Amino acid sequence: MPTIGFVYPDHAAEDDYPLAERMLGDDTALRVEHIYGTDLHAVPELLDLGSPTRLSDGAALLAKHAPDAVVWACTSGSFVYGWDGAAEQVAGLSEAAGGLPASSTSLAFVHAAQTLGLRTVAVAASYPGDVAKLFADFLGRGGIEVVSAAAADIDTAAEVGNLPAEQVVDLAVSHDHPDADALLIPDTAMRTLALVDDLERRLGKPVLTANQVTVWEGLRIAGLARTYDGLGTLLRTGGRR
């Protein structure tokens, strides 16, 4: 059984992963283990959340699942390290996981956008403005132009996890931009997997969300080149348009 392991911070929208496993509908197992820190969307706290020690602890927890690949399922706790720091972060996670392929949600967004050939994007972020800007800067380092970046100024992941679906949809639809090839929603604390197809129909373009790209990245780095319905353009096409 192919198995992807996810290191997930605290508790918010981790139920997107068993939902994704059901939606994949094959023999792929998605296993989540938690690490704990403060869930505040602030730079010092996010640097602590994504520290080597915490991610090593997560890798150790995943070992019992014998995963084929591991992913740090946190956007802000990866892009806050910057482009080079995010690469070093996943290299450390790979080493802690015994040399397994490893990645993070921030890198997954860049890889997904590059694979789909996206040049311009709009960002509908739950974060405070200073943190949202760091995400836009990170995307820029990956060669992706951010034509619009909205920040909802929500301070904690717990608050984001409690957003009702209709509020998530409103956040997304109201912050699209006509010049954007796609809309990005970058918080793994936000439940989005059940909404992606509907959002794409409304907007008429690809929508990339944190938990969606994290699942796709895990499949990609594990060498599972498959396509799936119900999870947006990215997984329906396997990233090929």
Side-chain angles (χ1 to χ4, degrees), residues 1-4 6 17-31 68 215-216 218-220 222-229 231 235-236 238:
M1 175 189 298
T3 300
I4 314 299
F6 301 93
Y17 292 85
L19 172 62
E21 185 177 289
R22 295 193 297 273
M23 294 175 77
L24 295 180
D26 57 13
D27 61 346
T28 304
L30 307 181
R31 298 292 180 256
D68 299 292
V215 170
W216 174 81
L219 296 168
R220 185 186 72 82
L224 301 175
R226 303 174 183 176
T227 59
Y228 303 92
D229 291 328
L231 291 163
L235 278 92
R236 186 172 60 254

Side-chain angles (χ1 to χ4, degrees), residues 176-183 199-201 203-207 233:
D176 185 29
H177 191 282
D179 293 336
D181 294 333
L183 176 71
L199 287 172
E200 289 196 341
R201 284 191 292 269
L203 299 178
K205 63 181 64 174
V207 173
T233 299

Side-chain angles (χ1 to χ4, degrees), residues 22-92:
R22 295 193 297 273
M23 294 175 77
L24 295 180
D26 57 13
D27 61 346
T28 304
L30 307 181
R31 298 292 180 256
V32 177
E33 293 291 345
H34 298 268
I35 59 172
Y36 296 95
T38 178
D39 71 343
L40 190 64
H41 288 146
V43 171
E45 286 78 8
L46 292 169
L47 289 169
D48 175 71
L49 189 62
S51 68
T53 298
R54 292 193 188 277
L55 293 189
S56 293
D57 290 344
L61 290 169
L62 284 171
K64 63 179 175 288
H65 303 295
D68 299 292
V70 295
V71 186
W72 170 218
C74 182
T75 323
S76 54
S78 46
F79 69 69
V80 73
Y81 278 83
W83 184 258
D84 294 335
E88 293 171 4
Q89 185 184 56
V90 298

